[in-house]
Amino acid sequence: MKASEITEEYMAGYLRLDMLEETEQREIATALSSAKEYVKSYTGLSAGEIDQHEDITSAVLILAADMFENKSFYLDYKNRETNQAVDAILGMYSMNLI
């Protein structure tokens, strides 16, 4: 699956949510969009380039789930670390860290 193919419905299933209220649907859409933009910003890749790497889809799902469940993006400012799985996946493709 490509990151661009992740829909709000798929994300709801990933989060194991059956019945969604309108507010939750908007929150999922926002979290998903934000996660995709974060990945593009972090890596320096375009949406098309991101779609060439299926493992980035996992990073998008993890980020979006974290944003939805915690209503924020978790970042440990003291240690400047994000989720280790996300960091490992995105670090492999980051053009911004060169």
Side-chain angles (χ1 to χ4, degrees):
M1 171 180 262
K2 299 175 182 179
S4 65
E5 295 172 340
I6 304 170
T7 63
E8 288 87 12
E9 292 81 18
Y10 184 87
M11 194 70 215
Y14 181 81
L15 294 166
R16 298 182 179 164
L17 300 173
D18 293 326
M19 301 289 286
L20 292 180
E21 296 177 10
E22 186 177 333
T23 303
E24 289 175 319
Q25 289 176 339
R26 284 192 304 250
E27 289 173 359
I28 287 174
T30 300
L32 189 53
S33 175
S34 297
K36 290 176 181 179
E37 289 302 317
Y38 177 83
V39 169
K40 288 193 293 188
S41 177
Y42 186 98
T43 61
L45 300 174
S46 69
E49 292 169 323
I50 287 169
D51 278 347
Q52 295 174 9
H53 308 285
E54 287 193 29
D55 52 343
I56 291 179
T57 301
S58 295
V60 171
L61 289 168
I62 292 167
L63 285 168
D66 191 40
M67 289 178 193
F68 176 81
E69 291 170 353
N70 297 311
K71 305 298 186 244
S72 66
F73 172 66
Y74 175 76
L75 180 63
D76 182 352
Y77 286 103
K78 182 177 179 183
N79 297 318
R80 300 263 185 218
E81 294 181 10
T82 57
N83 179 295
Q84 289 181 351
V86 171
D87 194 43
I89 293 167
L90 298 184
M92 291 188 295
Y93 303 108
S94 182
M95 306 307 263
N96 293 338
L97 300 178
I98 297 177

